[in-house]
Amino acid sequence: MIYIKRAEYFIPSEESPLPDVKFVPMLTRRRLSQLSKMVVAVNDAISKDEQPCKVTFASQFGEISQQLKISQTLLDTGNVSPAHFSLSVFNASIANATILTKNTAGYSAVFSGKEAFRDGLRDCVAALKAQSEQERVFIFADERIPETYAPVAGTPYPNAVCALALRLTTTPGEGLKELDESPLQGEFATAAEEAIAFIQQRLA
């Protein structure tokens, strides 16, 4: 059996459009996108007082706002800063998160379109069921698509935004909740909609 040892999520609102990441050094914090700030926040919350373990990260759009900045700079100047490019790659957010928590166990990244949430969770669960490890973290996150991409994104705009982190374990313990792997109720236009449904149906 797989159990949820710890869970944390962030869904932006008008009152709280971004999570509190004051624990991140200022120079680093200023460079983080909405996606990276959310991933860093939920990862930090489930990593405190825990031993480092491997992470499965999933996202439908990744660092799409940073990617747009790179494309605009390339069109305007013909050049791309290596530092800016490093912040635009798909796994930039989870890389930042694991660096800040000093987690050197390693991570995998799942990019499978609107199935990213379910595929990422399956990847995480499969590793635990294979008994290659006893504990693993699953993180899903998607940020707001830049309006520039709205006509071609193939998804409702504004799109759903959230971040979710689960610390999963095969070790039973008092108060731990078994992970329900049955299909979620509803139809989902984006992976983030499915992640929010998981929060509402499995964690509420």
Side-chain angles (χ1 to χ4, degrees), residues 15-146:
E15 296 77 19
S16 301
L18 291 171
D20 182 1
V21 289
K22 291 179 182 177
F23 59 89
V24 178
M26 183 180 294
L27 288 178
T28 301
R29 188 167 70 237
R30 291 174 59 186
R31 299 171 63 196
L32 298 180
S33 66
Q34 180 190 25
L35 180 73
S36 283
K37 287 177 180 176
M38 293 192 300
V39 171
V40 164
V42 296
N43 180 67
D44 181 75
I46 65 162
S47 298
K48 291 177 180 177
D49 304 318
E50 296 282 358
Q51 291 297 314
C53 66
K54 290 184 178 179
V55 180
T56 295
F57 170 70
S59 179
Q60 181 172 352
F61 301 109
E63 292 283 357
I64 193 166
S65 62
Q66 297 281 29
Q67 292 165 5
L68 178 59
K69 291 178 184 177
I70 289 290
S71 297
Q72 290 174 329
T73 301
L74 188 61
L75 289 172
D76 293 342
T77 68
N79 297 306
V80 174
S81 161
H84 291 164
F85 176 78
S86 68
L87 294 172
S88 73
V89 296
F90 181 80
N91 62 315
S93 57
I94 192 59
N96 280 310
T98 53
I99 289 170
L100 288 165
T101 54
K102 297 180 173 60
N103 183 355
T104 58
Y107 61 83
S108 60
V110 176
F111 174 58
S112 57
K114 70 176 185 178
E115 284 78 37
F117 173 79
R118 71 186 73 169
D119 289 348
L121 185 56
R122 285 171 181 163
D123 176 87
C124 189
V125 168
L128 293 171
K129 288 185 175 179
Q131 300 181 339
S132 59
E133 52 207 85
Q134 291 183 315
E135 202 157 296
R136 193 176 181 101
V137 166
F138 170 61
I139 297 178
F140 170 85
D142 260 328
E143 65 182 359
R144 180 62 46 81
I145 301 170

Side-chain angles (χ1 to χ4, degrees), residues 2 14 87 123-124 138 147 166 175 196:
I2 309 296
E14 290 186 9
L87 294 172
D123 176 87
C124 189
F138 170 61
E147 191 173 0
L166 302 173
I196 292 171

